[in-house]
């Protein structure tokens, strides 16, 4: 693993680890993660656990840690860990209480529609998370609808990625409706979701303020590979 920005507090001989990266095969036991995050002497700003096979159990450990006052994590990446809907539920429960996390990456974790529902419920209460990545998480149109509903109430999220989730025209339409009411989202990536013309039209109507709707705050939008008639774009 790699560490950076370590500062030593000589009076009590405590080391403050500012960043931690654990690559494949460096951490296989959830017990280690539990013990590590439980240490009140460690003030971690960024944690990257890409492809460490922590599964739902690891998601629960991290979720519990995020609820603790001494954990002031700002960036968390759990890409490719297969935490599933159970792990997503644990992370979501923490997001309802946590006020320090600003960036969350849950790419390729198979959270499904159920996991998306839990994350969406958390977004309705959380106002400090700025960036959320749910790339390749199998959320489908139902999960996209739940996320869209949360965007109508969320007041903090700026950057959202839902790439490769096959949300379809239904999911695209739901997101379009949400964008009419959301005032904070400025970047949205919907690459490879098969939203087709119906989904694209709903989103573009929200952005352009068509039909008398309030114009969306969105600045950056990626609709690549969605089977959309190019005349609409």
């Amino acid at each position: 693993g790699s560490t950076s920005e370590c500062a030593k507090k000589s009076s009590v001989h405590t080391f403050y680890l500012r960043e931690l990266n654990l690559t494949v095969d460096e951490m296989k036991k959830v017990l280690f993660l539990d013990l590590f995050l439980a240490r009140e002497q460690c003030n971690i700003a960024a944690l990257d656990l890409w492809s460490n096979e922590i599964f739902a159990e690891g998601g629960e450990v991290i979720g519990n840690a995020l609820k603790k006052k001494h954990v002031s994590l700002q960036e968390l990446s759990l890409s490719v860990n297969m935490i599933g809907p159970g792990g997503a539920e644990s992370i979501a429960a923490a997001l309802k209480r946590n006020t320090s996390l600003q960036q969350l990456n849950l790419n390729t974790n198979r959270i499904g529609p159920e996991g998306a529902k839990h994350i969406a419920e958390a977004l309705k209460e959380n106002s400090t998370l700025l960036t959320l990545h749910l790339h390749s998480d199998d959320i489908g149109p139902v999960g996209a609808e739940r996320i869209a509903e949360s965007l109508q109430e969320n007041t903090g999220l700026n950057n959202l990625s839902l790439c490769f989730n096959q949300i379809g025209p239904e999911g695209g339409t739901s997101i379009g409706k949400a964008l009419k009411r959301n005032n904070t989202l400025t970047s949205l990536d919907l690459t490879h979701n098969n939203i087709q013309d119906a989904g694209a039209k709903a989103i573009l109507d929200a952005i352009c303020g068509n039909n008398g709707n309030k114009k969306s705050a969105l600045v950056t939008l990626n609709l690549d590979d969605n089977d959309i008639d190019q005349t609409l774009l």
Side-chain angles (χ1 to χ4, degrees):
S2 64
T3 61
S4 63
E5 298 183 50
C6 284
K8 182 178 179 181
K9 187 177 180 181
S10 58
S11 60
V12 292
H13 303 288
T14 300
F15 287 87
Y16 288 84
L17 182 67
R18 298 299 298 170
E19 294 186 13
L20 173 66
N21 290 296
L22 298 175
T23 54
V24 177
D25 295 327
E26 288 192 51
M27 187 200 71
K28 294 297 184 182
K29 296 182 179 179
V30 172
L31 176 60
F32 170 80
L33 183 60
D34 191 14
L35 292 173
F36 182 80
L37 292 174
R39 294 176 59 85
E40 294 189 12
Q41 298 94 333
C42 248
N43 181 17
I44 306 171
L47 180 61
D48 186 352
L49 298 177
W50 178 81
S51 192
N52 272 287
E53 300 179 9
I54 66 172
F55 303 110
E57 294 82 1
E60 182 178 1
V61 167
I62 292 174
N64 289 335
L66 288 173
K67 295 176 184 178
K68 298 177 180 178
K69 292 183 178 179
H70 76 273
V71 176
S72 56
L73 205 61
Q74 297 174 26
E75 301 176 20
L76 174 62
S77 177
L78 298 179
S79 292
V80 199
N81 271 294
M82 303 304 145
I83 66 171
E89 182 176 9
S90 298
I91 298 296
L95 287 177
K96 293 179 179 181
R97 296 171 53 179
N98 181 278
T99 58
S100 65
L101 196 65
Q102 298 178 14
Q103 297 183 33
L104 176 61
N105 186 333
L106 295 180
N107 291 345
T108 319
N109 272 291
R110 298 179 182 174
I111 69 172
E114 185 69 16
K117 181 190 75 173
H118 293 304
I119 296 296
E121 289 301 315
L123 289 177
K124 293 178 181 180
E125 300 183 32
N126 181 291
S127 60
T128 53
L129 188 69
L130 303 178
T131 298
L132 175 63
H133 293 283
L134 298 177
H135 185 299
S136 303
D137 268 323
D138 303 327
I139 71 172
V142 174
E145 183 178 0
R146 297 293 179 268
I147 295 294
E149 290 172 356
S150 72
L151 291 178
Q152 297 186 43
E153 299 183 35
N154 180 270
T155 59
L157 203 64
N158 299 148
N159 185 355
L160 175 64
S161 174
L162 298 177
C163 304
F164 290 82
N165 273 295
Q166 289 299 305
I167 69 174
E170 301 92 342
T173 300
S174 296
I175 290 174
K177 292 178 180 178
L179 291 176
K180 295 175 183 178
R181 298 184 60 180
N182 180 279
N183 296 315
T184 59
L185 197 68
T186 57
S187 178
L188 175 63
D189 194 343
L190 296 177
T191 301
H192 197 84
N193 269 299
N194 194 37
I195 68 171
Q196 301 179 20
D197 292 353
K201 187 175 185 304
I203 291 170
L204 295 174
D205 281 352
I207 294 174
C208 299
N210 292 345
N211 300 322
N213 297 315
K214 180 180 177 181
K215 188 175 180 180
S216 165
L218 211 60
V219 175
T220 303
L221 173 66
N222 193 334
L223 295 179
D224 288 347
D225 197 14
N226 270 292
D227 194 22
I228 301 170
D229 186 337
Q230 293 302 301
T231 61
L232 289 176
L233 303 176

